[in-house]
Amino acid sequence: FYLENGARFGAASSDLTSQSNQVAGRIDVAEANSLPENGLEILDNQADRIEIQGGTITESVEWNNLGVPYNILSDINIGGKSETATLTIGPGTTLAFDNSEALTIGHAGSPGGLRTLGTRSAPVTLTTAQTQEAGAWSGVFITDSADDDQLSLSNTIIEYAGGSFSEANLTVEDATITIEDLTLRYSEDYGFQLEDDARFGDGSSGLVSTNNSAGGNIDTPSADSIPTSGLNISDNLLNAVEVAGGTIEV
């Protein structure tokens, strides 16, 4: 199947089988939530994946585990026209990004959110669709237009990013991100970069930054927000969190 220019599956759709094709299917990013989960079978294709043509999501949507990766062909931007647009990603879901592509939350000054609902047995994974090497794709960018109340990452893996114009798997600008068991690995540069007073939310735990060039980078006023519960920074070229200079106001 190839759905383009706003085409989507109807709300009552079910029992879609894509078998023995070159690629299982393609759909535009704003319509990907219409893929029928009930009775979906994708098997024996040369590429068992669903290609997602990038663009901007302006309304809240949820992507669930379809049993195959969502292959992101170009940049995805999340930002509502007036209200917050949130991308919610269900347990066990994999997003595989083509080279140099990115996921940006709070696009062009529009409010956006990202919520991942992974579990220990079924984590959410954001990875490369090509060769598994550091810097293969750009990573996740959370801008100062993001909605703090809609920013949470649970049992999530972000890997092989930090390439192109990026410096980290996860970059946050002047926003608060709450995490629970977040693994950042195989970045070409930092595992995480929090800048312009960006911080980890209260109650965050389980931050793992491993096999990167450096563990992370954060501004001085926000350094106290690094979650110590479950913190693991190891096997990086530089096993440290770099703290950018600045002023601590009391």
Side-chain angles (χ1 to χ4, degrees), residues 17 50 53-55 65 68 76 97 121 126 138 141 146 150 155 168 172 178-179 184 207 209 215-216 230 234:
T17 299
I50 297 176
Q53 185 60 51
N65 182 11
V68 296
I76 294 179
F97 290 77
S121 60
L126 280 62
S138 293
F141 294 85
Q150 295 296 319
N155 289 281
V172 185
T178 301
I179 67 164
L184 305 166
L207 174 62
S209 183
S234 61

Side-chain angles (χ1 to χ4, degrees), residues 24-246:
R26 179 183 291 192
I27 192 168
D28 288 346
V29 66
E31 320 304 333
N33 65 316
S34 74
L35 288 161
E37 300 175 39
N38 184 25
L40 179 66
E41 286 192 272
I42 296 176
L43 67 163
D44 300 329
N45 301 284
Q46 291 186 36
D48 278 334
R49 64 185 184 225
I50 297 176
E51 295 182 341
I52 306 297
Q53 185 60 51
T56 301
I57 296 175
T58 59
E59 297 180 351
S60 293
V61 296
E62 184 167 349
W63 292 0
N64 290 315
N65 182 11
L66 303 178
V68 296
Y70 295 76
N71 178 195
I72 312 303
L73 302 180
S74 54
D75 292 341
I76 294 179
N77 304 307
I78 313 295
K81 295 179 179 179
S82 56
E83 299 181 354
T84 300
T86 299
L87 173 61
T88 300
I89 305 175
T93 304
T94 295
L95 274 57
F97 290 77
D98 276 4
N99 286 348
S100 302
E101 308 308 335
L103 172 60
T104 300
I105 313 301
H107 173 63
S110 300
L114 175 65
R115 300 173 62 244
T116 60
L117 308 179
T119 65
R120 294 198 174 185
S121 60
V124 169
T125 303
L126 280 62
T127 187
T128 175
Q130 269 83 38
T131 304
Q132 292 187 333
E133 59 184 22
W137 63 292
S138 293
V140 178
F141 294 85
I142 298 175
T143 76
D144 58 3
S145 297
D147 183 344
D148 290 354
D149 292 333
Q150 295 296 319
L151 296 176
S152 61
L153 304 177
S154 297
N155 289 281
T156 298
I157 300 167
I158 307 176
E159 60 184 10
Y160 300 110
S164 189
F165 55 88
S166 170
E167 294 184 352
N169 281 357
L170 173 65
T171 302
V172 185
E173 300 174 346
D174 194 18
T176 299
I177 179 78
T178 301
I179 67 164
E180 179 184 6
D181 295 331
L182 171 65
T183 296
L184 305 166
R185 62 190 186 191
Y186 305 115
S187 169
E188 191 171 50
D189 207 330
Y190 301 110
F192 63 89
Q193 184 171 36
L194 274 63
E195 53 191 1
D196 298 331
D197 296 329
R199 13 186 341 106
F200 292 102
D202 293 342
S204 292
S205 64
L207 174 62
V208 176
S209 183
T210 184
N211 294 110
N212 308 297
S213 291
N217 180 283
I218 194 168
D219 285 351
T220 296
S222 303
D224 65 333
S225 74
I226 296 172
T228 56
S229 176
L231 180 65
N232 179 359
I233 296 178
S234 61
D235 298 323
N236 303 286
L237 293 179
L238 175 63
N239 279 323
V241 176
E242 296 182 357
V243 178

